Amino acid sequence: MLPCTKILSFIEAGCEDLAEELSRAQLMTLMMAATALVLGCPFNLSQMARSWLGAKSVNAFWYVVNAAKIEFTSVEEVRLKMMQKRYAGRLRGGRFIIDDTMSHHSKLCRVIHAVFTFWDHVVGTHIKAKCLVFLYYEEDGIKFPIGWRFYYKEGKLGAGQEKERQLRAQSEYKEKYKLALELITEARHKGFTCKVVVADSWFCIEEFMNGLRQLDLLYIFEMKENRKVQVSIPPERRQQKERGRKRQKWYESISIEAFFNALGGEKAYGFARDIETGKAEKVLYWTQAAVVKMQAYAGKHTVVRSYDPTRQTVKFLITNALSWDAVKVITEYSVRWVIEEFFRNAKQLLDLEGACVRSKQGVTLALFLVTYVDALLHFEVYQRSASKHSPSAPVTVQSIIRLAQLENVENFIQIVEDTEQWIPFRDRWLTVLKKHAVRARTLRKPLVELESSCPAQEDEMAA
């Protein structure tokens, strides 16, 4: 990997607004760290300093992470105002996407802020991780994270966990859906309008739905297969059910799969036959839709059953938009995938899980850097796509990163061609490489006999 030569142009342009809240040294440090991440450096302070050939600003990164008091609430407001300014006139009301992710840790688990033991359904075991609830925004190709919250796990603490006990005393435990409602409420107060809230089945609970209804918002969730539908009992069967006082209405609950099996009326959606290329039509989904009352949720909902013939999988989607048809519900819900792309980019491209900074200040800074860089990358994608006459083929985030790496190579070539710059740059590069080329192993200390008495003997003497 080539050393970093200059701060990337799109990062420098994107961080101009932060000068209102940060000092020049802090701003330079953040921009240099963001450049290192984009160019492929791991989220490691020593590696970042090495990539910048021991530049003073990156060496000051430890101070920014652990000691410098940055008011991240104000910095986050600047970031969101920057997004509103850059997409001026285009944010007419998009989709709020809610999801949570876990940032795995194998080192320093006991001292990293907000790390708890969670069950990971992906790997099928308990892991040490930070759990984060994110709110993401999407509207016609515009994508960026709005905010996030730490999820502090509830549960009993054992002996020797005083640090975690103090942490929970300072930070009130809140369930994930409450954190999500907080994020949505704050985003609306900051001027982001929402057309529909989208989330997976882990947020498909009545408490979250009720909170969104109170905010007068539409929502679409994936629903688990074990939910039941309330259906009216036919008149001929009511006499058999009656006991004591007669009723006007009678309902019974049946499984959602049985309900749709009896409903029938499947419709196919997909791609039509292309006459020019000769491609046959392709069915993507077989769908059924109905307005029903669910046993677990208040009020009426539109429920869509979607069968994917390629993967042979079934999904049930639920929404309070009673007038929407099946294809509208599926199309809106499919946008949820952008937050999964964000999690992938944050972990694979920006090395979110590699950040082993311990304090709350450091963890917050790491998350801020990742979300800020993601917003800048997607703005570059949007600009390059908008500049072309064919919006059907936008570039990818990986393309922007490769272009950034190309920019770094071009800057490096300019330094090589300029003798006055190249000689000191070369000497500094070789010095850094030699300094870190050899790592000495820690010598094992010999065992010696100690004069201290055995703890068990001390206990007996005390007794």
Side-chain angles (χ1 to χ4, degrees):
M1 175 183 172
L2 289 178
C4 301
T5 54
K6 291 182 181 178
I7 294 171
L8 294 171
S9 54
F10 79 91
I11 289 178
E12 190 169 13
C15 291
E16 290 176 352
D17 295 338
L18 292 179
E20 303 173 10
E21 296 294 334
L22 302 177
S23 68
R24 182 61 183 169
Q26 291 172 340
L27 184 60
M28 284 295 296
T29 297
L30 289 176
M31 289 193 296
M32 293 176 77
T35 296
L37 287 177
V38 172
L39 294 179
C41 181
F43 210 126
N44 179 285
L45 304 188
S46 300
Q47 291 279 5
M48 286 182 181
R50 224 172 297 167
S51 68
W52 281 102
L53 305 183
K56 191 173 283 188
S57 291
V58 176
N59 287 333
F61 194 56
W62 179 90
Y63 176 76
V64 175
V65 168
N66 292 285
K69 298 302 180 184
I70 299 176
E71 184 56 53
F72 279 102
T73 303
S74 302
V75 175
E76 277 290 307
E77 288 181 0
V78 172
R79 178 181 72 86
L80 295 177
K81 287 178 181 177
M82 186 197 74
M83 292 293 103
Q84 291 171 332
K85 183 171 69 174
R86 290 198 165 195
Y87 296 110
R90 299 181 180 92
L91 302 181
R92 302 181 182 89
R95 303 162 186 88
F96 284 173
I97 308 170
I98 287 287
D99 202 358
D100 64 311
T101 188
M102 282 187 281
S103 176
H104 299 192
H105 284 281
S106 58
K107 297 180 180 179
L108 308 173
C109 290
R110 293 184 179 180
V111 292
I112 294 178
H113 179 79
V115 169
F116 297 92
T117 302
F118 294 98
W119 171 262
D120 191 335
H121 65 279
V122 177
V123 298
T125 186
H126 286 88
I127 60 169
K128 291 279 188 180
K130 290 191 300 287
C131 187
L132 303 161
V133 179
F134 275 92
L135 175 62
Y136 210 83
Y137 185 88
E138 195 282 337
E139 181 184 358
D140 300 330
I142 298 173
K143 309 172 188 176
F144 55 87
I146 292 183
W148 46 268
R149 287 285 190 279
F150 289 116
Y151 171 68
Y152 299 101
K153 187 176 179 181
E154 189 181 35
K156 295 181 179 179
L157 295 174
Q161 293 181 294
E162 291 298 328
K163 196 165 186 177
E164 289 189 9
R165 187 174 286 105
Q166 294 173 5
L167 172 66
R168 295 188 190 181
Q170 297 170 1
S171 306
E172 180 184 355
Y173 165 77
K174 294 180 182 177
E175 295 174 283
K176 291 181 184 178
Y177 81 89
K178 292 182 179 178
L179 299 176
L181 288 173
E182 283 184 4
L183 288 167
I184 291 171
T185 303
E186 288 184 10
R188 296 179 78 191
H189 286 164
K190 292 173 182 175
F192 293 95
T193 55
C194 174
K195 183 170 65 175
V196 59
V197 178
V198 183
D200 62 10
S201 60
W202 296 99
F203 287 89
C204 187
I205 58 176
E206 171 59 24
E207 293 85 351
F208 190 37
M209 290 181 175
N210 185 47
L212 295 176
R213 287 193 293 266
Q214 291 178 5
L215 295 173
D216 197 25
L217 291 173
L218 297 178
Y219 52 78
I220 301 176
F221 301 127
E222 184 178 349
M223 188 169 54
K224 294 182 179 179
E225 298 178 353
N226 60 356
R227 300 303 185 190
K228 294 188 176 182
V229 181
Q230 289 185 342
V231 295
S232 179
I233 298 176
E236 59 271 16
R237 291 178 51 200
R238 292 182 185 177
Q239 298 298 327
Q240 303 174 7
K241 292 280 185 178
E242 289 179 355
R243 295 289 186 274
R245 187 174 62 181
K246 294 185 178 181
R247 289 185 174 182
Q248 296 292 327
K249 296 181 180 179
W250 288 85
Y251 294 94
E252 64 179 355
S253 298
I254 63 173
S255 70
I256 193 168
E257 187 67 45
F259 172 81
F260 279 108
N261 287 339
L263 182 66
E266 289 184 321
K267 295 182 179 179
Y269 292 96
F271 301 133
R273 184 170 68 91
D274 193 327
I275 299 176
E276 294 182 0
T277 61
K279 286 187 177 180
E281 67 176 23
K282 182 178 181 180
V283 177
L284 295 180
Y285 305 106
W286 286 96
T287 67
Q288 297 168 278
V291 177
V292 298
K293 289 189 69 175
M294 301 296 299
Q295 186 181 39
Y297 312 119
K300 290 186 176 181
H301 290 87
T302 296
V303 177
V304 175
R305 181 185 185 274
S306 172
Y307 172 72
D308 184 343
T310 304
R311 299 180 180 179
Q312 297 185 349
T313 56
V314 175
K315 281 186 178 180
F316 295 98
L317 305 178
I318 183 170
T319 177
N320 60 340
L322 303 183
S323 61
W324 288 5
D325 58 10
V327 68
K328 172 71 172 175
V329 174
I330 292 173
T331 302
E332 290 290 329
Y333 182 78
S334 65
V335 179
R336 196 193 73 82
W337 187 249
V338 302
I339 198 170
E340 299 293 351
E341 292 177 342
F342 163 66
F343 292 152
R344 180 197 63 195
N345 293 338
K347 294 178 180 180
Q348 295 181 5
L349 300 180
L350 303 177
D351 196 33
L352 173 62
E353 293 183 337
C356 289
V357 283
R358 308 181 185 187
S359 65
K360 184 177 182 180
Q361 166 90 0
V363 176
T364 304
L365 176 59
L367 289 167
F368 170 76
L369 265 177
V370 168
T371 53
Y372 201 87
V373 171
D374 179 82
L376 295 180
L377 288 170
H378 279 293
F379 183 70
E380 282 294 300
V381 170
Y382 180 82
Q383 276 191 314
R384 291 178 179 273
S385 303
S387 64
K388 296 181 179 181
H389 296 290
S390 175
S392 60
V395 297
T396 62
V397 168
Q398 289 82 354
S399 298
I400 302 299
I401 289 179
R402 285 193 289 268
L403 288 171
Q405 293 168 345
L406 174 61
E407 180 184 335
N408 191 57
V409 172
E410 291 172 345
N411 293 334
F412 180 79
I413 292 173
Q414 289 179 3
I415 293 174
V416 172
E417 293 175 345
D418 187 341
T419 307
E420 293 184 1
Q421 293 186 63
W422 168 244
I423 293 175
F425 184 89
R426 179 201 62 189
D427 293 343
R428 194 163 76 251
W429 190 9
L430 290 174
T431 301
V432 171
L433 290 177
K434 289 176 182 177
K435 180 180 178 181
H436 298 280
V438 178
R439 293 186 62 183
R441 295 184 63 89
T442 304
L443 296 177
R444 296 184 63 181
K445 296 180 180 180
L447 296 176
V448 297
E449 183 179 354
L450 302 177
E451 297 180 358
S452 302
S453 58
C454 178
Q457 295 177 351
E458 292 180 354
D459 293 341
E460 291 179 1
M461 293 174 64

